[in-house]
Amino acid sequence: MARTEIVTITNMCMVYDGNKILVQDKANDDDWKGITFPGGHVEKGEPFTDAVIREVFEETGLIISSPQLCGIKDWVKKDGSRYMVLLYKTDKFTGELRPSDEGEVFWIDREELSGRELANDMDKLAEVFFDDSLSEFRYDIENGEWKYILK
């Protein structure tokens, strides 16, 4: 059995300030439209923590520090490669909030998240950020249909 595989690694970060969370509206993203947390691709050879700090800055204008890995989202794509999203959270940041080409960014109360138009599966993914007993969001194919699993 092969021990290596082709993997795309990305990240996502929940920046919070007390009960407020920073969200991004990806209204112009045809692949994953809706409210989500900022994040993006890890460049080849880039340290994971550096990547999430860079992505949050590029998408929000905030400079985060001490991002804590709180979970992983992953699935195997039809071509056999794996797609992984490293999930981080932090309440340590400086800078001035600004939008980017990725979408508008703004603060909301945590309880407001469920009332927003969320990106696909963001409601379940948020459970990993909010529930410290969870650390994995995974998709498997069961009977030809995608099924999510939280652990």
Side-chain angles (χ1 to χ4, degrees):
M1 176 184 239
R3 292 180 176 246
T4 61
E5 60 185 326
I6 297 170
V7 180
T8 299
I9 305 171
T10 64
N11 59 54
M12 179 182 284
C13 187
M14 181 180 75
V15 181
Y16 63 98
D17 185 6
N19 202 39
K20 297 274 190 197
I21 55 175
L22 181 64
V23 295
Q24 182 174 50
D25 186 357
K26 292 190 163 236
N28 298 325
D29 189 330
D30 292 333
D31 293 329
W32 210 50
K33 187 177 290 211
I35 300 293
T36 184
F37 297 140
H41 284 81
V42 176
E43 302 298 331
K44 186 175 182 178
E46 184 178 29
F48 298 147
T49 303
D50 291 355
V52 74
I53 291 169
R54 175 185 53 76
E55 283 289 348
V56 170
F57 176 71
E58 290 175 359
E59 296 185 3
T60 71
L62 298 182
I63 301 168
I64 63 168
S65 59
S66 303
Q68 298 298 306
L69 185 65
C70 63
I72 297 172
K73 173 183 177 182
D74 81 314
W75 65 95
V76 176
K77 295 168 52 174
K78 291 180 182 176
D79 65 5
S81 66
R82 178 173 279 198
Y83 197 98
M84 294 178 61
V85 185
L86 303 174
L87 309 176
Y88 291 88
K89 59 184 172 181
T90 187
D91 62 350
K92 294 170 180 51
F93 58 90
T94 60
E96 192 142 336
L97 195 61
R98 60 156 174 75
S100 72
D101 292 341
E102 297 286 332
E104 294 294 323
V105 287
F106 52 94
W107 295 97
I108 63 171
D109 284 329
R110 182 174 152 177
E111 294 79 29
E112 287 181 58
L113 189 63
S114 62
R116 299 289 181 140
E117 188 174 326
L118 304 177
N120 183 45
D121 75 22
M122 189 60 195
D123 57 335
K124 297 298 178 194
L125 186 57
E127 292 182 42
V128 178
F129 287 99
F130 298 143
D131 184 344
D132 289 339
S133 71
L134 297 173
S135 64
E136 185 177 1
F137 179 112
R138 186 176 83 240
Y139 274 116
D140 283 339
I141 295 180
E142 189 175 289
N143 299 321
E145 299 288 325
W146 287 105
K147 176 184 174 189
Y148 76 88
I149 299 165
L150 293 174
K151 288 188 170 187

